[in-house]
Amino acid sequence: MCVSNNEIERQAYIMSEKIRENSVYKLVLIKFIDNKNIDLQNHSIEQILAKEDLPLISKVTLEDEEGMRFDIEPNEIGLSYAKGEITYKEYKQMQSKENKLFIGYLTLLSSGFLLISWGALKLFFM
């Protein structure tokens, strides 16, 4: 199966664009994985996306009416927060749950491969 090298980056840009279009908050800053930031008050998102060699978007910063800023990841949970469907506290809880679930699946998968490898070695060499 052939997958484009920039598929993850493209998905992050697509989600960032959805957040910008559907947000009840003001998108003010884009943070990239290499600690670069682009302030959207000085640039439009179209100018940013037109560049060829942009790194992966790690977070977008939203600002509410009171001037409070919130960093969210460009994913489905972040989009739900930007739409105003969930609170920031719920967003953080969902992110934490998702991270724990990922670690659990990774541990389970690694354990499975270890057991299969051990079984194969025992079968063929003992």
Side-chain angles (χ1 to χ4, degrees):
M1 182 167 93
C2 182
V3 178
S4 175
N5 292 349
N6 64 350
E7 186 61 29
I8 296 171
E9 289 89 348
R10 192 174 74 75
Q11 287 298 322
Y13 288 117
I14 289 170
M15 289 306 296
S16 298
E17 184 63 23
K18 285 182 181 180
I19 288 171
R20 184 185 68 85
E21 291 171 355
N22 299 311
S23 181
V24 295
Y25 306 104
K26 181 180 175 186
L27 181 65
V28 293
L29 189 71
I30 295 178
K31 296 180 180 182
F32 295 98
I33 201 85
D34 62 353
N35 294 327
K36 287 174 56 179
N37 299 330
I38 294 183
D39 189 3
L40 292 178
Q41 295 172 357
N42 301 332
H43 302 89
S44 70
I45 198 156
E46 289 80 18
Q47 291 173 336
I48 295 167
L49 295 179
K51 295 183 180 179
E52 295 292 325
D53 58 344
L54 288 175
L56 178 65
I57 295 175
S58 62
K59 295 191 184 275
V60 294
T61 303
L62 301 176
E63 185 176 72
D64 64 5
E65 302 85 30
E66 299 168 359
M68 297 279 297
R69 290 188 173 196
F70 302 97
D71 287 340
I72 62 168
E73 292 182 11
N75 55 24
E76 291 294 329
I77 301 170
L79 181 60
S80 294
Y81 172 73
K83 287 180 178 180
E85 297 170 351
I86 58 175
T87 65
Y88 191 69
K89 184 177 180 180
E90 292 171 327
Y91 165 76
K92 290 304 247 181
Q93 289 173 346
M94 291 173 79
Q95 282 292 107
S96 176
K97 182 178 178 182
E98 187 177 273
N99 290 341
K100 289 176 185 175
L101 193 60
F102 173 74
I103 291 170
Y105 283 143
L106 184 62
T107 303
L108 184 65
L109 187 62
S110 299
S111 299
F113 278 126
L114 184 64
L115 287 173
I116 290 171
S117 300
W118 178 76
L121 286 173
K122 187 167 179 140
L123 177 69
F124 290 120
F125 295 110
M126 295 186 181

